[in-house]
Amino acid sequence: MCRWLHVGGMTGERLDEILSAVRDGAQAFLKTVAERPVAAPREALRAVSFPALPDQGWGTTRALDYFRANLEPLLSGSAGPRYLGFVTGGSTPAALAGDWLAAAYDQNVSSDGDSIATGVERHTLAMLRALFGVPDSFEGAFVSGATQANVVALATARQWAYARIGIDVSEAGLTGAPPIAVLAGAPHASIDKAVSILGMGRRCIERISLVEGRAVIDPAALDAHLKARAYAAPCIVSASAGEVNTGDFDDLRAVAEVARRHGAWLHVDGAFGLFAAADPAYAHLVDGLELADSIASDAHKWLNVPYDSGFVFTRHLTDQERVFRAAGAYLGAGPDLLHRTPENSRRFRALPAWMTLMAYGREGYRELVHRCCEHARRLGEHLRASGSFELLADVHLNIVCFAPRSREVRDRDRVLEAIHAGGRAFFTPTLYAGRPAIRAAFSNWSTTADDIAIVARALDEAGAL
C-alpha cells in the first residue's frame, strides 16, 4: 500500500496518485514530441511571467498542473527526432525506465558495501569498454557529461605530468610549478573550460597545424612542434574522436605514436565519436584508441540516455585517485568510486546506461550508429545538390556542416530563424574555416527517413526566402 506523505505541507498527498499523474503527463508529451515545434518561439519565452514563491505550498497536483499548462508547451523537442543541435540523443525507452527508477531508488553511488549500485556502475563501465574495444586496463567512472569527463582526465594527466618532475601537485598545488602545455588541433570548448578550472589556464593550449582542408591534427606537425619546443614538464596531447563541426577524427594511432615517442600523455575527447566503434563500418575511425592514457565521452549523446550523463576512462587510476581522494574517517579509503571524480555524492547515473545496454545490446547500438550516419549522409547529399546551400565538409560520421551560398552572417542567421520559426527542425550556428555555418547532428534513436525528408523540405523553403 502506498504511504501517505506527512511532511509539512505534503500531508495528505498520495504518492501513487502523483506518480500516476506524472506517468500520464510524460506519456502524453512523448507521444506528441514529433509533432510539437522543435524549438519554443522566442517571443513566447520572453513573455513568460513566473509565479512568486507561495507562502502556502500549492501541493504537487496543482504545481504539476500549472507546469504542464503554462511551461511544458515552451519546452523544446530535444527528445524528438528532428532536434539536430548539440548532438542530443534523446532517451531510449529502456534508458527512460532506468532514469525514473534511479530517482525512485535514490542511491548515493559513492562507496561499496551497502548497495549493489556501485556494482552496477562497474558492470556498466565494463560493457562500455567492450562496446568500444577499450582494454580492461582502463578504469572508469560516471560523471555529469563529457565536460566533467575532460576535467577529470586532464586533472589526472596534470598529476601524472608533474609527478614526472618530482611534484605531487595534489598536495603541493601549482605555486612555483612550471606550466604544462596542452597540444591540440581543433579542440572542443570543454577542453578550454577544463584547463581553466584546473588552474592551468587557457593559454596553456597550443594549437597544432591541421591537415589541409580538414579539422584534424597533422601528426607530422605535432612531431615537429614537440621536437622544436623544450618543455619543463611532459606535455598533454588532446586528440578529437569526432570534431564538433564536421565529425572528423584525428588519426589516433599516428598521434599516439608521436605522443609516446616524446613522452607525452594522450587524451582522447570522444564525446560522441567514440560510438563509431560500435559499427564495423566506422570502427576504423577510432583505430589506436587503446593507446590513449585517458578517454572522455558522453552517454546522453549517442548512448541515448537522459541528461546529464558522461563517463571517463584512464589507465592511470593511482594518479586519478591522488587528485580526487576524499579524506574523512567516515568515507573510508578503499577503492570507492567517490575517489575517482569531483563529486562525493553521486547519483545512480549508471542505471539508465545499464538498462539500455542490456535492453538493446551490441547489435542495437551498431544499428543506431549506422542509421544516424546514413541520415547524415542523405542530408549531405541533398545539400550538395542544393542551389541554396553548400556542404562545407565531407560527412565523416553523423554531423553535417553546411552554409548558405552567401557568406554573410545575416543570411546564415536568416535561415536559422526561418527554420526555428517553422518548428520542424532545430540546428545550431557555428563557424567553420572562418565562415558562418550551420551544423546538424544526428544521434536520436527515433529519427527516421521520413524525418530527413521533412528537414530537407524545411531547408529548401528557408533557403528560397
Side-chain angles (χ1 to χ4, degrees):
M1 180 179 296
C2 183
R3 293 170 180 257
W4 289 74
L5 299 179
H6 295 284
V7 183
M10 302 174 191
T11 300
E13 292 197 314
R14 291 188 62 91
L15 185 60
D16 54 354
E17 294 175 358
I18 292 168
L19 293 180
S20 179
V22 170
R23 179 202 63 200
D24 292 345
Q27 190 171 37
F29 177 85
L30 292 173
K31 277 186 173 180
T32 61
V33 71
E35 288 74 47
R36 296 166 59 93
V38 181
R42 291 190 175 91
E43 298 78 10
L45 291 173
R46 287 191 287 264
V48 170
S49 178
F50 289 96
L53 173 68
D55 291 328
Q56 298 298 320
W58 286 1
T60 302
T61 299
R62 182 183 170 191
L64 180 61
D65 289 345
Y66 180 91
F67 185 90
R68 292 202 60 211
N70 297 280
L71 302 177
E72 183 189 282
L74 298 178
L75 296 177
S76 76
S78 57
R82 296 187 301 279
Y83 188 92
L84 306 180
F86 308 113
V87 201
T88 299
S91 300
T92 63
L96 178 60
D99 199 63
W100 281 17
L101 287 172
Y105 296 149
D106 199 22
Q107 303 290 292
N108 182 1
V109 191
S110 296
S111 59
D112 297 332
D114 70 335
S115 168
I116 195 60
T118 53
V120 170
E121 180 162 341
R122 294 176 195 276
H123 179 221
T124 308
L125 292 162
M127 288 194 288
L128 289 169
R129 284 196 298 266
L131 184 66
F132 303 136
V134 172
D136 290 343
S137 55
F138 283 80
E139 292 285 352
F142 271 84
V143 291
S144 61
T147 297
Q148 190 74 296
N150 282 327
V151 169
V152 172
L154 294 179
T156 306
R158 182 188 63 178
Q159 180 72 18
W160 171 88
Y162 281 124
R164 294 297 175 277
I165 58 172
I167 300 173
D168 182 352
V169 73
S170 67
E171 298 295 331
L174 292 171
T175 302
I180 292 178
V182 176
L183 311 184
H188 187 267
S190 61
I191 299 295
D192 287 48
K193 179 180 281 192
V195 295
S196 175
I197 291 170
L198 294 171
M200 298 162 68
R202 291 184 174 90
R203 293 178 185 172
C204 80
I205 298 177
E206 298 180 9
R207 298 298 185 103
I208 304 301
S209 297
L210 304 177
V211 173
E212 186 175 357
R214 297 173 60 193
V216 299
I217 291 173
D218 180 345
L222 175 64
D223 189 45
H225 187 95
L226 283 164
K227 286 178 179 175
R229 296 288 299 273
Y231 294 104
C235 295
I236 300 168
V237 176
S238 179
S240 294
E243 187 269 333
V244 67
N245 286 320
T246 66
D248 206 352
F249 283 67
D250 287 331
D251 184 336
L252 299 183
R253 184 167 297 279
V255 170
E257 289 171 355
V258 173
R260 283 192 169 189
R261 191 156 58 245
H262 293 277
W265 175 289
L266 176 60
H267 171 61
V268 175
D269 179 4
F272 62 90
L274 207 60
F275 286 84
D279 183 359
Y282 297 97
H284 64 279
L285 294 172
V286 292
D287 176 53
L289 179 66
E290 73 280 1
L291 301 176
D293 293 284
S294 57
I295 304 166
S297 190
D298 266 323
H300 53 240
K301 289 186 170 66
W302 235 338
L303 195 64
N304 276 221
V305 306
Y307 278 99
D308 52 9
S309 184
F311 49 91
V312 58
F313 290 110
T314 179
R315 61 169 75 251
H316 302 269
L317 183 61
T318 300
D319 288 308
Q320 183 175 345
E321 291 184 338
R322 282 198 179 101
V323 177
F324 296 106
R325 184 179 69 248
Y330 74 101
L331 294 174
D336 294 329
L337 294 171
L338 71 89
H339 300 299
R340 298 185 182 184
T341 73
E343 306 91 354
N344 281 5
S345 301
R346 305 179 67 254
R347 188 175 187 268
F348 197 2
R349 200 175 269 126
L351 183 56
W354 185 93
M355 197 73 73
T356 196
L357 286 166
M358 292 297 293
Y360 310 117
R362 187 187 299 274
E363 180 58 25
Y365 278 94
R366 183 210 63 76
E367 194 275 335
L368 171 60
V369 168
H370 194 82
R371 181 157 35 91
C372 288
C373 293
E374 283 297 295
H375 293 330
R377 183 187 60 78
R378 287 185 58 194
L379 183 61
E381 289 175 350
H382 180 84
L383 291 164
R384 197 184 295 278
S386 169
S388 301
F389 297 99
E390 290 183 56
L391 191 63
L392 300 186
D394 291 338
V395 177
H396 300 280
L397 194 68
N398 65 324
I399 290 182
V400 185
C401 187
F402 62 102
R405 292 194 176 275
S406 163
R407 294 175 175 266
E408 298 295 328
V409 173
R410 63 175 179 271
D411 292 318
R412 188 273 311 271
D413 293 348
R414 173 186 54 77
V415 168
L416 286 171
E417 184 59 35
I419 294 288
H420 189 148
R424 287 175 289 175
F426 180 79
F427 307 104
T428 48
T430 190
L431 284 174
Y432 179 66
R435 180 170 176 180
I438 300 170
R439 62 190 289 277
F442 292 90
S443 56
N444 190 296
W445 67 275
S446 66
T447 306
T448 67
D450 290 341
D451 291 304
I452 306 310
I454 293 170
V455 169
R457 284 197 299 272
L459 280 168
D460 289 345
E461 293 169 12
L465 293 178

